[in-house]
Amino acid sequence: MSIILDISKVDMVFPTPKGDFTALKGVDLQIKKGEFISLIGHSGCGKSTVLNIVACIHKATIGGVLLNNKEVTEPGPERAVVFQNHSLLPWLTAYQNIELAVKRVFKNKMSKAEMKEWIEHNLRLVHMDHAKDKRPDEISGGMKQRIGIARALAMKPEVLLMDEPFGALDALTRAHMQDSLMEIQQKLNNTVIMITHDVDEAVLLSDRIVMMTNGPAATIGEILDVNLPHPRNRLALAEDPEYNRLRSAVLTFLYEKQRKVEHISVPDTDKVKQKSSSVA
Amino acid sequence: MTALINKQKTGITPMNRNKIIMPLLLKKVQTFILPMAGICCFLLLWSLTANSIETSLGKFPGPSAVATQMVNLVNEHNTERDKEKAFYIRQDERNEARMAKDPSYQPKVRMYTGKETFLDQIVTSLITVLSGFLVAAIIAIPLGIAIGLSKNLNRAINPIIQVFKPVSPLAWLPLVTMVVSAVYVSPDPMFAKSFVNSLITVTLCSLWPMVINTSFGVVSMNQDWVNVSKVLSLPKLVHIQKIVLPASVPAIFTGMRMSLGIAWMVLIAAEMLAQNPGLGKFVWDEFQNGSSQSLSRIMTAVIVIGLIGYMLDRTMLQLQRMLSWDKSSAQL
Ligand SMILES: Nc1ncnc2c1ncn2[C@@H]1O[C@H](COP(=O)(O)OP(=O)(O)OP(=O)(O)O)[C@@H](O)[C@H]1O
Ligand SMILES: [Mg+2]
């Protein structure tokens, strides 16, 4: 299949008061159409930075991003982002939040009725049609995240970028959302880059897992192909030897090869512990 | 056993009735009885101290004197209105009589020039403060948004704001008066000069809190929302209309409430100083008048000024509750 997105030898240097800080060094990744990529790595290594460069919210210091062989320089709806903390506009209802995006993308391509149908279709896709007139502060965290995903899907993006979409959710809701996402992915076969901290999530959802080394000057350490057949079932996979091999490969990378050597502050350790234990 | 279950179903046993009703009662006490108690204590203290203060114009007015005066002022207003009506009826009659005698007579219509009553002055002050406030909002909100969006514009304008913000608008008053009388010359002015003076003073003092709060609201806007707008690549104007403006609505309202409070205080002072019609002039006139009634009439005005200020703030709050998405910021 053809390469849709080419992240080409990207360096990212942030100017800081204490001098330049090299966050990324030589990040290079080619993504095929319809591929689901997970980006995994320790906190602060630069995963969000990679995503923001693809979305053009940051501009790479060296290197660049090609979408369909054309360099991208401005943010655009063809690279829709699901942000880490839902980022719905609190003054709009769920429906209106999606409407804002749909109106922008399909302004001259859809009639009013078609837009309405399309918005409602996307709400149904994430099973949120019952809450379409609710505002973000009236619905739960998981529901907000679903609306955020629906908003991104409604833009029919060429590449869907997700920054820890389920990071703020409890384990049960997260598992549920992962199932929803797999179901949607079966239907739509989007090209996706998803950042995650969660090893099981990465193995369960992805076609490839991209593992990043620790910063500063982080880069891609290893890439793991996940050749488990779709549709995947989390219970059946728990017994699957291939699944467990992949899982331990990622764990080995994270906790042996890229073990955080510097002192980790207490809240950080808690976070990692909680994440690995809650789903394991 | 069944009785027990039934009780559990209906949920009201004598014991948990107490549990339900007690907090309700407590809430009533807190929201209604405590403020009432406060007011009563204040009235008591007031009348006690008022009684023991002797001025050259008699005793300091207590609550009862103010209450009497309140009634007086309303009656005076009604009498004045009756007089006005009578004046116009007489004038019409006179004109008709002369027209009947001499058909070529051009009837003269004179305006009634009675004294402005307390109630008239209240209306004048209210109209002035609201107009000045509105003018300020029309200038301040777009300016605040522009400053919030552009760091460079902020750098350019900030020093000016910082210097003019602490200036009491009363210091501007002489300048405003002179400029208005020099510039605002028309044979048939739509507004009285005094009104324009007061309005500009109110505008000047309402401007800064609104500009500062609006720009603060824009600057401290959640970065995620800006990113959403970037990803959608919304055009600049749509970005301002759909993201920036609603995002800063809570801050804009905070600024508006501050402004309106300051504006009301400043307006009364300006009216006293410049002898412009309004409650301030009423107070000043009564002070100059120096009759035995004066103090109690001034005290009445003081209380009415306070009540109106309170009412203005509550109105703004209500408006904020209706229009702002952030209900948590629309608290007292
Ligand atoms: N605007 C910025 N200016 C300076 N340094 C930055 C900036 N943004 C990110 N960094 C630095 O770049 C590094 C990577 O940050 P990034 O947010 O990409 O990490 P991350 O992998 O997404 O972490 P997490 O998993 O905790 O979200 C961090 O060390 C961070 O301090
Ligand atoms: Mg991140």
Side-chain angles (χ1 to χ4, degrees), chain B residues 139-140 142-148 150 153-168 172 204-216:
Chain B
I139 302 170
L143 185 63
I145 287 179
I147 292 176
S150 158
L153 193 63
N154 185 19
R155 285 195 195 104
I157 292 185
N158 198 35
I160 303 171
I161 293 180
Q162 296 305 333
V163 169
F164 284 131
K165 188 183 65 160
V167 177
S168 164
W172 286 103
L204 275 175
C205 68
S206 311
L207 211 56
W208 310 123
M210 271 198 267
V211 170
I212 291 169
N213 272 285
T214 306
S215 66
F216 172 78

Side-chain angles (χ1 to χ4, degrees), chain B residues 59-274:
Chain B
K59 272 206 168 65
F60 191 84
S64 61
V66 167
T68 323
Q69 219 38 258
M70 201 85 87
V71 176
N72 276 354
L73 285 166
V74 173
N75 286 341
E76 271 169 34
H77 176 77
N78 290 337
T79 339
E80 193 66 25
R81 274 297 120 84
D82 289 346
K83 267 197 211 160
E84 184 182 348
K85 238 184 247 159
F87 171 86
Y88 282 120
I89 290 171
R90 255 183 291 130
Q91 176 172 290
D92 285 353
E93 276 169 359
R94 226 180 305 135
N95 280 337
E96 261 165 43
R98 288 192 66 165
M99 291 269 282
K101 262 193 211 161
D102 172 15
S104 67
Y105 174 71
Q106 287 289 324
K108 276 186 201 133
V109 179
R110 277 197 210 90
M111 296 301 284
Y112 178 72
T113 49
K115 201 172 130 254
E116 271 162 334
T117 66
F118 184 58
L119 297 192
D120 294 335
Q121 303 286 39
I122 292 179
V123 172
T124 309
S125 285
L126 269 176
I127 292 176
T128 316
V129 82
L130 291 178
S131 328
F133 176 74
L134 214 67
V135 172
I138 291 170
I139 302 170
I141 293 173
L143 185 63
I145 287 179
I147 292 176
L149 286 177
S150 158
K151 276 214 179 83
N152 286 332
L153 193 63
N154 185 19
R155 285 195 195 104
I157 292 185
N158 198 35
I160 303 171
I161 293 180
Q162 296 305 333
V163 169
F164 284 131
K165 188 183 65 160
V167 177
S168 164
L170 297 178
W172 286 103
L173 196 58
L175 298 175
V176 169
T177 314
M178 294 317 291
V179 171
V180 166
S181 45
V183 176
Y184 189 66
V185 273
S186 78
D188 181 26
M190 193 158 60
F191 306 109
K193 271 184 187 157
S194 58
F195 173 76
V196 176
N197 287 338
S198 301
L199 182 140
I200 292 178
T201 313
V202 167
T203 304
L204 275 175
C205 68
S206 311
L207 211 56
W208 310 123
M210 271 198 267
V211 170
I212 291 169
N213 272 285
T214 306
S215 66
F216 172 78
V218 173
V219 169
S220 57
M221 183 167 50
N222 190 333
Q223 195 56 40
D224 287 345
W225 304 338
V226 181
N227 284 342
V228 168
S229 172
K230 274 190 190 160
V231 168
L232 288 175
S233 49
L234 295 179
K236 193 90 189 167
L237 271 178
V238 181
H239 171 66
I240 291 173
Q241 185 200 345
K242 297 274 182 181
I243 313 279
V244 177
L245 197 58
S248 37
V249 155
I252 291 176
F253 267 105
T254 311
M256 293 216 280
R257 277 178 74 194
M258 267 167 84
S259 291
L260 194 56
I262 299 172
W264 182 241
M265 284 204 266
V266 166
L267 175 65
I268 305 297
E271 286 166 352
M272 286 178 80
L273 202 64

Side-chain angles (χ1 to χ4, degrees), chain A residues 14-16 21 23 42-49 58 84 164 197 271:
Chain A
F14 288 112
T16 66
F21 175 79
H42 284 291
S43 186
C45 69
K47 305 182 291 297
S48 296
T49 309
H58 290 331
Q84 195 156 354
E164 286 190 63
H197 268 125
K271 198 172 160 191

